[in-house]
Amino acid sequence: MTILVTGATGTVGGHIVELLNGKGVKVKALTRAINKTNLPAEVQLVSGDLDHPETLQSHLYKVDGLFLMTQSDQSDTKFLANQRIVQMAEKAGVKKIVALVDYEGNPIEEVIKNSGMEWTILRPVEFMKNVLNDWAESIQKEGFIRTAFPDSLSARIHEADIAAVAVKSLTEEGHHKQTYDLTGPEALNPRNMLKQISEVIQKPIELIEMTVDEVKTEWKSKGYDEQFIDYFIIEMGKNPPEQVYTVLPTVERVLGEPARTFAPWVEENRHHFE
Ligand SMILES: NC(=O)c1ccc[n+]([C@@H]2O[C@H](COP(=O)([O-])OP(=O)(O)OC[C@H]3O[C@@H](n4cnc5c(N)ncnc54)[C@H](OP(=O)(O)O)[C@@H]3O)[C@@H](O)[C@H]2O)c1
């Protein structure tokens, strides 16, 4: 069995490559930076860019399964590129596609469902690793974090669980026509996540509460527009929709074991905070 993994150098894709490789599955790992990866030696690195589907053409032949990390933006560009990749995969004879989509109702889902391939769609909530971008530097250098929404709940998922579900779906039967909404096993908020990080690194971490205006100013300085900030940062922070924090049993149902909690994730990533 040969699987083409896109996003192979990323967090989810990296776990997928490792798991497939551990199972003895032949992996083609797609990257735009073929000389910069540190993937296992047995893995075949292939060069390609998801924004330029034609660069994937030759890698799709003699492949049984495709893990597609779909990308989206506010234009149609990413959608059209994703659509083309799905069409090319089907034409090349790929039997199974497992796609990670970033939001419910992404139109690429319909394209995948209507392809002639066996399909599984993975829709995870927020990843635990976002904590690294948001807080790691500040915790390490300053011993505090700043947030306006310290009680905002999210059933964050460990990236390795997404990968494990992807690998099951790619290598075993019974996952065709399944859309898996994936969450972690507990609803977390910044306060309790900080407490757990602080216990592991054995250092106090202060939580500084920001005002909404401070949040707006910060995100504007990062180049985000007002509409994005008002909805994705302020509104989602104040009133997260139910599906963001509702714990689902999907990971446990698919894997036969409970989803990973935040505690092991912190242990695995403690060096980023110390
Ligand atoms: N973070 C979250 O909370 C969250 C929640 C739901 C869904 N998602 C989605 O999950 C997906 C996977 O995220 P991740 O955290 O595993 O990724 P990541 O660690 O951020 O890494 C990004 C990966 O995507 C690849 N990549 C990016 N643009 C590419 C392009 N144009 N062509 C080819 N490869 C490209 C990179 O490969 P090279 O640089 O090696 O080319 C790298 O392997 C993303 O699509 C994201 O939108 C994220």
Side-chain angles (χ1 to χ4, degrees):
M1 181 187 278
T2 303
I3 307 283
L4 175 62
V5 178
T6 67
T9 60
T11 320
V12 175
H15 285 297
I16 293 178
V17 169
E18 207 179 294
L19 288 170
L20 287 172
N21 192 45
K23 276 168 120 23
V25 174
K26 204 171 154 217
V27 177
K28 287 186 180 181
L30 188 94
T31 174
R32 293 163 299 175
I34 207 152
N35 298 319
K36 289 195 198 148
T37 68
N38 53 356
L39 291 172
E42 303 86 343
V43 169
Q44 183 190 351
L45 294 173
V46 294
S47 176
D49 188 330
L50 294 166
D51 293 334
H52 300 283
E54 66 285 356
T55 60
L56 274 71
Q57 185 73 70
S58 60
H59 311 317
L60 288 163
Y61 290 105
K62 298 190 180 158
V63 157
D64 303 286
L66 167 65
F67 173 74
L68 180 62
M69 189 196 76
T70 68
Q71 299 178 292
S72 57
D73 61 10
Q74 281 164 9
S75 71
D76 274 346
T77 320
K78 299 273 186 197
F79 168 75
L80 292 171
N82 289 324
Q83 183 182 42
R84 183 81 196 103
I85 294 167
V86 175
Q87 290 164 345
M88 282 164 48
E90 186 187 359
K91 210 163 167 206
V94 175
K95 294 182 210 70
K96 207 178 248 190
I97 180 167
V98 174
L100 193 160
V101 301
D102 51 3
Y103 66 93
E104 187 177 346
N106 185 327
I108 196 62
E109 291 186 12
E110 284 311 305
V111 175
I112 291 165
K113 289 176 184 174
N114 293 325
S115 77
M117 296 178 282
E118 287 184 30
W119 58 265
T120 309
I121 289 171
L122 311 183
R123 283 197 306 224
V125 290
E126 191 176 5
F127 297 179
M128 290 179 184
K129 73 141 189 187
N130 291 355
V131 165
L132 295 180
N133 284 343
D134 297 344
W135 298 342
E137 196 179 339
S138 170
I139 290 176
Q140 197 177 48
K141 293 192 177 150
E142 295 159 332
F144 64 76
I145 67 127
R146 300 168 76 241
T147 176
F149 311 108
D151 301 303
S152 184
L153 289 170
S154 163
R156 289 176 188 241
I157 183 162
H158 193 307
E159 303 78 44
D161 278 336
I162 307 170
V165 171
V167 167
K168 274 237 167 209
S169 307
L170 284 162
T171 58
E172 296 179 16
E173 295 305 314
H175 304 282
H176 178 32
K177 295 191 178 173
Q178 297 297 318
T179 299
Y180 292 134
D181 288 305
L182 304 172
T183 74
E186 56 193 343
L188 298 157
N189 65 30
R191 277 191 215 286
N192 54 44
M193 285 190 284
L194 271 199
K195 187 165 176 282
Q196 293 190 56
I197 297 170
S198 169
E199 280 166 10
V200 167
I201 65 171
Q202 296 189 354
K203 275 191 203 150
I205 306 167
E206 193 185 347
L207 189 154
I208 300 174
E209 213 163 325
M210 299 167 82
T211 64
V212 166
D213 283 344
E214 284 170 338
V215 174
K216 282 190 181 179
T217 309
E218 185 177 305
W219 282 84
K220 263 187 205 160
S221 74
K222 291 181 192 167
Y224 289 87
D225 65 50
E226 210 147 314
Q227 219 183 345
F228 177 92
I229 299 170
D230 283 346
Y231 181 68
F232 286 102
I233 310 300
I234 310 294
E235 192 48 36
M236 294 282 269
K238 271 191 196 160
N239 299 306
E242 228 177 300
Q243 68 261 33
V244 166
Y245 56 81
T246 304
V247 171
L248 300 174
T250 325
V251 168
E252 183 161 6
R253 251 191 15 235
V254 175
L255 300 183
E257 55 192 57
R260 292 161 172 88
T261 59
F262 189 56
W265 184 94
V266 177
E267 280 293 347
E268 290 154 24
N269 290 279
R270 62 186 299 160
H271 56 285
H272 294 290
F273 304 107
E274 287 173 331

